[in-house]
Amino acid sequence: MTMLQPSAAAGRRPGRSPARRARRSWTGWGFIGPFALVFTLVFLAPLVYSVYLSLFRTQLIGGTHFVGLDNYQAALSDGQFWDGVLRVGLFLLIQVPIMLGLALLVALAIDSGRLYGKDFFRITVFLPYAVPAVVATLMWGFMYGTRYGLVGDIDGALGVQLPDLLSPDLVLASIGNIVTWEFVGYNMLIFYAALRVVPHSLYEAAEIDGAGQLRVITAIKLPAIRGALVIATIFSIIGSFQLFNEPAILQKLAPNAITTDFTPNYYTYSLSFSGQQQNYSATVAIVMGVITMIVAYVVQLRGMRKGA
């Protein structure tokens, strides 16, 4: 009996046509294309252009010419720039732990369930974050003034002489108070959201073992939100190095205390828009960005190592 052999064409699975494969290959690009375009225009292009500007120098005589890494060498030996870096470094070493500590205490208090009216309290603490930085700085700046505002009124009413909070010795602490007031609620929300996802079975087990509230916090809650603590710390460090709004606005109220090189960002702004040194300004901004990335990366590595 003769066996029918299937044809080669019948045994071969039908493949996709080249046109169909081409359409499928472009489908993914259609989804990520808008993001890639925006990312290129608002991040990559300005970054590349800043690097390009930093390699040139514009002079009144001779115009613009290529100088290579001369601008970077000048930035690394610029005393004004490093004074600003040290100032914001001192700022973050003092202000960031205080701000995150307050935010953590508030989050733990709300999460404990023993706080009366916790919803209202949570909204109240978060509300300053909704206030624009310009408005918040102007509000606090006028309260700090010795000739007007809260400090001036207290001096006149009580006949006392309160410290000038806009003096060169206290203005950095005054700015720290403003930033803390603005961002405690923001960080509190990060910590509170992390606390809400901690499994309740851990609390039940701790209660059975007779653990107190302090033990629950140190053994369960803090280890569980370590990732949130690291993220909030990194955000706060980046924000400290980017400090600009508060000193730029308070400079009009305290011109003797806040100079144009008070922070690296303010120094960069002054170089570009007041000094007409766009090339050197781009160089300082790039150097400051590298410093910020290094510090944030070291903090992230340390936090991940502790969490391992």
Side-chain angles (χ1 to χ4, degrees):
M1 184 171 58
T2 304
M3 300 287 295
L4 295 177
Q5 299 294 332
S7 64
R12 192 168 56 240
R13 295 181 62 183
R16 299 186 179 93
S17 64
R20 186 178 179 183
R21 287 198 299 268
R23 286 196 302 269
R24 290 179 63 87
S25 65
W26 282 103
T27 301
W29 286 107
F31 283 104
I32 68 173
F35 167 78
L37 179 62
V38 174
F39 182 76
T40 301
L41 292 177
V42 304
F43 181 77
L44 294 182
L47 184 61
V48 172
Y49 184 62
S50 297
V51 174
Y52 170 79
L53 285 178
S54 68
L55 301 177
F56 292 83
R57 181 179 298 161
T58 302
Q59 298 177 338
L60 294 176
I61 301 177
T64 302
H65 57 280
F66 180 79
V67 295
L69 300 178
D70 289 353
N71 287 331
Y72 291 93
Q73 183 178 358
L76 294 177
S77 59
D78 190 343
Q80 291 180 294
F81 168 67
W82 288 110
D83 285 343
V85 173
L86 293 176
R87 192 174 290 111
V88 295
L90 176 64
F91 178 85
L92 72 88
L93 286 176
I94 298 176
Q95 185 269 336
V96 169
I98 294 175
M99 177 182 64
L100 296 183
L102 291 174
L104 182 60
L105 287 176
V106 174
L108 291 172
I110 296 175
D111 184 67
S112 67
R114 300 183 179 184
L115 185 66
Y116 180 76
K118 66 176 184 178
D119 293 336
F120 174 78
F121 187 70
R122 182 174 66 246
I123 295 175
T124 303
V125 174
F126 181 76
L127 191 60
Y129 179 70
V131 178
V134 174
V135 176
T137 306
L138 286 174
M139 178 185 69
W140 280 98
F142 283 116
M143 285 196 297
Y144 289 152
T146 56
R147 293 175 296 174
Y148 43 76
L150 181 61
V151 174
D153 291 342
I154 293 176
D155 287 349
L158 302 180
V160 296
Q161 187 67 34
L162 295 178
D164 184 4
L165 298 176
L166 295 178
S167 64
D169 295 333
L170 297 177
V171 69
L172 188 63
S174 300
I175 293 176
N177 177 66
I178 297 173
V179 175
T180 301
W181 181 82
E182 290 177 311
F183 288 96
V184 162
Y186 171 79
N187 291 286
M188 176 273 297
L189 202 62
I190 294 177
F191 298 150
Y192 180 68
L195 288 169
R196 296 302 296 170
V197 298
V198 177
H200 286 275
S201 59
L202 297 178
Y203 299 146
E204 295 172 357
E207 184 178 359
I208 294 174
D209 292 340
Q213 285 296 319
L214 182 60
R215 181 61 178 169
V216 170
I217 291 174
T218 57
I220 297 178
K221 292 187 176 183
L222 293 183
I225 66 170
R226 181 170 293 164
L229 289 170
V230 174
I231 291 175
T233 302
I234 293 175
F235 285 170
S236 299
I237 290 174
I238 295 174
S240 297
F241 280 124
Q242 293 178 343
L243 191 63
F244 174 78
N245 288 331
E246 290 78 11
I249 296 171
L250 288 179
Q251 200 274 335
K252 301 298 181 181
L253 302 176
N256 297 326
I258 299 178
T259 58
T260 55
D261 60 340
F262 191 79
T263 67
N265 268 13
Y266 194 28
Y267 184 46
T268 303
Y269 173 84
S270 301
L271 286 172
S272 181
F273 293 96
S274 299
Q276 300 300 317
Q277 301 182 55
Q278 287 82 8
N279 302 101
Y280 186 58
S281 173
T283 305
V284 173
I286 292 173
V287 173
M288 193 62 217
V290 172
I291 293 174
T292 304
M293 287 190 296
I294 292 174
V295 174
Y297 183 66
V298 170
V299 172
Q300 181 183 9
L301 285 182
R302 186 173 179 82
M304 292 173 61
R305 187 178 299 114
K306 285 184 177 182

